[in-house]
Amino acid sequence: MADTAREAIPGFGSIGEIQERLAREGYIADRMLATTLFLSVSLGKPVFIEGEPGVGKTEIAKVMSRILDTELIRLQCYEGLDSNAALYEWNYTRQLLELRLQEARGVDGLQIGHNLFSEEFLLQRPLLKALRSEGPRAPVLLIDEVDRSDEEFEAFMLEVLSDFQITIPEIGTLHARHIPFVVLTSNRTREVHDALKRRCLYHWIDYPSFAREVAILRARLPQVELRLAGQVCRFIELLRERDFYKRPGIAETIDWARALITLGIAELSPDAVQQTLGCILKYRGDSEKLKQLGLESMIEMALMPGHDPAAAAEFCT
Ligand SMILES: Nc1ncnc2c1ncn2[C@@H]1O[C@H](COP(=O)(O)OP(=O)(O)O)[C@@H](O)[C@H]1O
Ligand SMILES: [Mg+2]
């Protein structure tokens, strides 16, 4: 099976190459993440990515599909997700239509409806779609926020990921045309079962370092001045060190910088932060908490020398 995967997904020459191609697509990965992705592609193993919300887990699958120049198929997990929604359903409307057509055509009574339970009448849901994808290259299959699904669904998925084939009683066993490049993500609202993790290469994404976040911000928002980027990232870094109900992710950093630029603000000030606080803290309790901690002193800290945004250059290729 792994051999099929290697044929289907073009490999990368080196870890450095994958890091560089990610960067060209605007994704700034550290060496550890690039290594995991490199191995995942080379060994044909799914990658399991865990981390706080907003640290760039989902984006990895999107960027990988662009780099591999292939289709992205996404299965968004939620409580109660079952195999009908994840794998396939019969297309009753089409089956009924076919039946009427056959009747109208005067098809022999014994023959009527003989083909209704064939692949043609399946509604492919993401997992089946990924296995049966007809593209020239294996697709990227993103199984997003696995921690939201139930444990039974997890067990079912484990089966699919072990065999890359599924059995449909009316049809038989359908094998994967290409083994997809699978990215599973979890926000870790619950522990995902060991058995599933064992199938995968595991990677934990932490909040980025100051320098990496500046690099990300510059990659995503090239118009941001280095000075403002440094202040924004340092302020966010300070926020994350405090005990908020919802710490800001990278998406919040980007949104905030964009809002500041839109308002023509070039430097953090109590007034500027107050006006735009809704971009970074989304719970009333958290905004209150920031006031208690002292907004002005946090800004002062963010503006202190010692965090040079130019250090971000090392992440830019
Ligand atoms: N390393 C990174 N390089 C570039 N952009 C990133 C990076 N990490 C996160 N982002 C951006 O941050 C936002 C949130 O990322 P996302 O993948 O949705 O987070 P998660 O799935 O972990 O909640 C996206 O807009 C993404 O583009
Ligand atoms: Mg996500």
Side-chain angles (χ1 to χ4, degrees):
M1 280 288 170
D3 284 343
T4 324
R6 275 197 286 272
E7 278 163 29
I9 298 178
F12 293 95
S14 66
I15 296 164
E17 183 192 332
I18 199 166
Q19 209 171 5
E20 196 183 308
R21 289 182 65 183
L22 288 166
R24 256 190 269 151
E25 289 293 331
Y27 194 92
I28 313 295
D30 60 17
R31 180 108 186 145
M32 284 257 290
L33 174 59
T35 306
T36 306
L37 295 173
F38 176 80
L39 289 175
S40 171
V41 170
S42 311
L43 305 176
K45 263 188 161 235
V47 53
F48 186 98
I49 299 179
E50 224 170 25
E52 298 291 328
V55 290
K57 301 182 295 298
T58 302
E59 189 70 19
I60 288 174
K62 295 184 187 167
V63 173
M64 285 304 284
S65 79
R66 294 207 293 273
I67 292 181
L68 296 167
D69 187 22
T70 188
E71 188 185 4
L72 172 70
I73 298 170
R74 179 177 188 163
L75 174 64
Q76 172 63 54
C77 299
Y78 53 86
E79 211 184 319
L81 172 64
D82 60 9
S83 59
N84 283 347
L87 203 54
Y88 72 90
E89 279 178 286
W90 288 107
N91 189 340
Y92 293 119
T93 319
R94 272 206 65 196
Q95 284 174 320
L96 209 63
L97 210 66
E98 174 70 13
L99 210 56
R100 297 260 157 78
L101 274 173
Q102 289 182 8
E103 278 167 0
R105 267 194 250 118
V107 172
D108 182 339
L110 286 173
Q111 284 293 309
I112 274 197
H114 72 284
N115 61 341
L116 291 186
F117 290 93
S118 57
E119 207 173 344
E120 198 188 335
F121 294 96
L122 280 180
L123 278 175
Q124 293 187 347
R125 300 302 183 208
L127 289 181
L128 182 60
K129 212 168 149 199
L131 295 191
R132 305 299 284 165
S133 162
E134 287 180 17
R137 277 176 292 282
V140 171
L141 170 62
L142 164 63
I143 304 178
D144 214 9
E145 304 185 347
V146 178
D147 52 324
R148 289 210 206 175
S149 65
D150 321 306
E151 294 194 10
E152 288 135 63
F153 183 75
E154 218 178 284
F156 158 77
M157 215 154 45
L158 185 63
E159 247 180 79
V160 177
L161 294 182
S162 311
D163 304 336
F164 287 106
Q165 64 178 37
I166 57 139
T167 301
I168 299 177
E170 296 87 343
I171 297 180
T173 301
L174 297 177
H175 300 276
R177 291 205 170 103
H178 300 295
I179 306 281
F181 175 69
V182 185
V183 179
L184 296 114
T185 80
S186 165
N187 286 334
R188 210 167 175 223
T189 53
R190 69 171 174 85
E191 237 9 285
V192 168
H193 211 275
D194 276 352
L196 185 60
K197 284 189 183 168
R198 232 177 284 134
R199 290 260 151 238
C200 310
L201 297 177
Y202 177 83
H203 184 82
W204 170 264
I205 303 197
D206 233 325
Y207 288 120
S209 63
F210 168 76
R212 193 158 73 89
E213 193 152 24
V214 172
I216 293 171
L217 194 50
R218 302 266 285 168
R220 292 278 144 161
L221 217 61
Q223 69 271 37
V224 70
E225 294 290 340
L226 197 54
R227 192 174 133 82
L228 181 65
Q231 293 180 1
V232 161
C233 293
R234 179 68 185 129
F235 189 85
I236 293 276
E237 194 180 32
L238 289 168
L239 281 188
R240 288 187 193 133
E241 286 166 9
R242 307 297 190 278
D243 185 25
F244 287 106
Y245 174 65
K246 265 282 182 255
R247 293 191 176 93
I250 298 171
E252 279 71 30
T253 310
I254 300 170
D255 279 353
W256 190 31
R258 190 177 285 125
L260 292 167
I261 294 171
T262 307
L263 296 174
I265 296 166
E267 189 169 27
L268 292 192
S269 66
D271 196 36
V273 177
Q274 195 65 55
Q275 276 183 65
T276 52
L277 204 54
C279 297
I280 43 178
L281 294 177
K282 313 277 170 88
Y283 287 83
R284 185 146 177 262
D286 283 348
S287 322
E288 292 296 322
K289 179 150 195 182
L290 180 59
K291 271 184 215 146
Q292 282 164 20
L293 287 170
L295 184 63
E296 298 201 6
S297 62
M298 290 272 281
I299 294 171
E300 252 169 54
M301 277 163 80
L303 299 187
M304 270 182 201
H307 286 77
D308 179 13
E314 72 177 276
F315 290 95
C316 302
T317 40

